[in-house]
Amino acid sequence: MTSCKPVPAADTDRVPTTYEERNTWLMAILVPATSLVYFAVVIPRLWRQPAAEVAWVTPMLWAMGVTFAGTILGSIVSAMVARDSHTESDVRDREIVRHGDRIAQGVLGVGAAVVLVLAMVRADQFWIGNALFLLGAVGTTWGAIAKIRAYRGAFHG
């Protein structure tokens, strides 16, 4: 005699989105978006004038500020909207965060070496600042993508 278990509906077997996962989605969206806007502003300037003359500091500060403020506001809004859902971090969240952070740190480690070489060859501040900004954005984005994949089942600890 075999027992027949009912197959759960697709909506009922989904793990609720945690606070950590919602914030990871925010970073995965905001960092690439603000970085692309930053480079859309700065690269045309680089085509018109030498790197040493390109005004890049203010647009970079705006990009970082918008990312920072957007993350805070998005986190507040998502917490208000998802008031009834699972919000506490658990062991799985901590493991996934560590996994994504290791990937981000790997990219940032390579980035630190690139920036160090640029400083050693006395590259213009434009190149050093932008290399660090780009590699930070790439590391953060890759880390966020790794976390999202892990939340969606591609993580085995």
Side-chain angles (χ1 to χ4, degrees):
M1 181 153 95
T2 60
S3 74
C4 294
K5 289 184 178 180
V7 177
D11 290 342
T12 61
D13 63 353
R14 189 174 171 282
V15 177
T17 306
T18 64
Y19 178 78
E20 290 290 339
E21 184 179 359
R22 288 190 305 270
N23 284 340
T24 299
W25 276 100
L26 280 169
M27 292 303 288
I29 294 166
L30 282 172
V31 170
T34 57
S35 298
L36 287 172
V37 169
Y38 166 76
F39 285 113
V41 168
V42 172
I43 289 174
R45 294 177 182 180
L46 186 59
W47 291 334
R48 292 189 305 261
Q49 59 197 97
E53 296 175 13
V54 172
W56 59 276
V57 175
T58 301
M60 186 180 289
L61 290 172
W62 271 102
M64 292 187 306
V66 167
T67 301
F68 184 73
T71 302
I72 291 170
L73 291 173
S75 177
I76 291 168
V77 168
S78 80
M80 289 170 37
V81 169
R83 228 179 321 177
D84 298 331
S85 72
H86 175 69
T87 58
E88 304 98 39
S89 293
D90 56 15
V91 174
R92 180 174 175 255
D93 277 317
R94 287 187 290 277
E95 288 297 317
I96 288 171
V97 167
R98 274 191 223 123
H99 169 69
D101 287 349
R102 279 192 299 267
I103 290 170
Q105 288 170 356
V107 174
L108 291 174
V110 170
V114 168
V115 170
L116 187 59
V117 168
L118 287 171
M120 288 176 179
V121 300
R122 298 185 190 273
D124 187 77
Q125 290 177 343
F126 172 88
W127 298 112
I128 294 170
N130 279 282
L132 189 56
F133 180 78
L134 176 63
L135 289 161
V138 169
T140 301
T141 303
W142 281 5
I145 290 169
K147 291 175 191 177
I148 290 167
R149 287 187 45 145
Y151 277 113
R152 295 295 155 218
F155 179 68
H156 303 292

